[in-house]
Amino acid sequence: MTAVGLRAARAVAWSVLPAELVLVVCPVAGVRIPAPVLLGAEALVVAVLVLDASVLWRLYTAARRRDGAGRREALRSAVGALVPVALRRLVVHEFRALHSLGLWVVRRRHRIPEGALPVPYTEPQTGVMYAFAFVSVLETVVLALVIPWPLVHAILLVVDVYGVVVVLAIHAACVTRPHVVEADGSLRLRYGALFDLRVPAAVIAAARVDRRFPGGGLVRVDEDGTLDLAVGSQTTVTVELTEPVEFVRPLGLRGTARTLRFNADDPRAAVAALVKPAPRATPQHTPAPAHQPAPASQATPVLTPPLTPERTAPSSTPDPPA
């Protein structure tokens, strides 16, 4: 498989989802697509899918022949080579966010082990997310009153409703996927469905409450290996590690960090769970054999009668007899 053909297949893979989205949204919005246009668009989409399928098959057979991998491993390798990492992660995030919206409705959380402490972190962004949703609803109402063309209004209605659903889904993913401090002291840092980092308990050296306001985006790494996972442009907990850990950014880039800073709605509870002392083992008492003499400390004590206290001397000498 040539590099030019692979790049062309990747480029057309980016165009399939938007094209299908347009073809689905237009009929829902009441837009009547002319039959020749619809036929040509569907033919183009089918041609793109055939091209991608052929490239995928070549990559699959090459992986089976070259590496001797199984079917599942070869298919995963072929999909990874054909579909860009950013596109795969965006699609997966979309499905996970919608799944989290369903969990949010039924008031459930995603994968909290038995005995673990969930650490919510959404307090700084809750007001902003609800404000975005309110603005989207308000925009829909205003445009319905201002725009006189029903066709344009229908298209914007679909776009605005989808925008409200996306905003609520992103917030629901953050609510249903909190940070987790597990029973063994390990830490799992998350931000919705975009970021997930597991830190074993063995590499956690210290944790403290430390409120900071770092700049930049959601995930920011300093030159000294400090990872800032900020929510609402702030972090409240700092965790020092004994060795660097590897993480994956939301769009697939990798990095390492030795110090972690993240936000927690209750940072003191999170720090207390991370630095709790390990339980001490109860010492086992082994009784001495019968033929050995008891230690001196365990010998039968010799009982002695209590000592009678002496009388106190009189404070003055009595007068001599007459």
Side-chain angles (χ1 to χ4, degrees), residues 232-322:
S233 300
Q234 68 173 333
T235 61
T236 56
V237 177
T238 298
V239 177
E240 303 287 346
L241 306 178
T242 58
E243 61 184 52
V245 294
E246 186 177 357
F247 64 91
V248 182
R249 291 177 179 268
L251 293 182
L253 297 178
R254 295 182 176 272
T256 57
R258 188 157 188 163
T259 302
L260 307 176
R261 296 174 184 161
F262 61 94
N263 183 74
D265 294 347
D266 189 356
R268 297 185 183 277
V271 171
L274 287 170
V275 301
K276 62 181 178 182
R280 296 181 179 179
T282 304
Q284 300 292 333
H285 176 69
T286 304
H291 63 279
Q292 293 183 359
S297 58
Q298 298 181 1
T300 304
V302 179
L303 299 179
T304 56
L307 300 177
T308 304
E310 297 179 358
R311 296 179 179 271
T312 306
S315 58
S316 60
T317 305
D319 295 333

Side-chain angles (χ1 to χ4, degrees), residues 113-286:
E114 185 73 21
L117 173 69
V119 181
Y121 53 84
T122 58
E123 184 177 342
Q125 73 175 20
T126 301
V128 176
M129 302 300 285
Y130 286 149
F132 281 158
F134 175 75
V135 169
S136 298
V137 174
L138 183 63
E139 177 188 4
T140 303
V141 175
V142 171
L143 291 178
L145 298 175
V146 173
I147 296 178
W149 305 287
L151 177 60
V152 178
H153 171 257
I155 295 175
L156 293 178
L157 176 63
V158 174
V159 174
D160 288 340
V161 170
Y162 182 73
V164 173
V165 172
V166 168
V167 170
L168 294 178
I170 292 175
H171 182 63
C174 294
V175 173
T176 58
R177 298 168 183 262
H179 305 314
V180 179
V181 180
E182 299 189 11
D184 60 351
S186 60
L187 175 64
R188 184 178 186 181
L189 293 182
R190 298 191 283 190
Y191 182 82
L194 284 172
F195 186 85
D196 195 343
L197 171 61
R198 295 178 181 269
V199 183
V203 303
I204 298 178
R208 63 182 183 274
V209 178
D210 184 16
R211 187 177 298 273
R212 294 174 179 265
F213 299 90
L218 171 65
V219 179
R220 177 175 175 269
V221 182
D222 294 338
E223 296 180 355
D224 58 351
T226 300
L227 169 66
D228 290 319
L229 183 63
V231 178
S233 300
Q234 68 173 333
T235 61
T236 56
V237 177
T238 298
V239 177
E240 303 287 346
L241 306 178
T242 58
E243 61 184 52
V245 294
E246 186 177 357
F247 64 91
V248 182
R249 291 177 179 268
L251 293 182
L253 297 178
R254 295 182 176 272
T256 57
R258 188 157 188 163
T259 302
L260 307 176
R261 296 174 184 161
F262 61 94
N263 183 74
D265 294 347
D266 189 356
R268 297 185 183 277
V271 171
L274 287 170
V275 301
K276 62 181 178 182
R280 296 181 179 179
T282 304
Q284 300 292 333
H285 176 69
T286 304

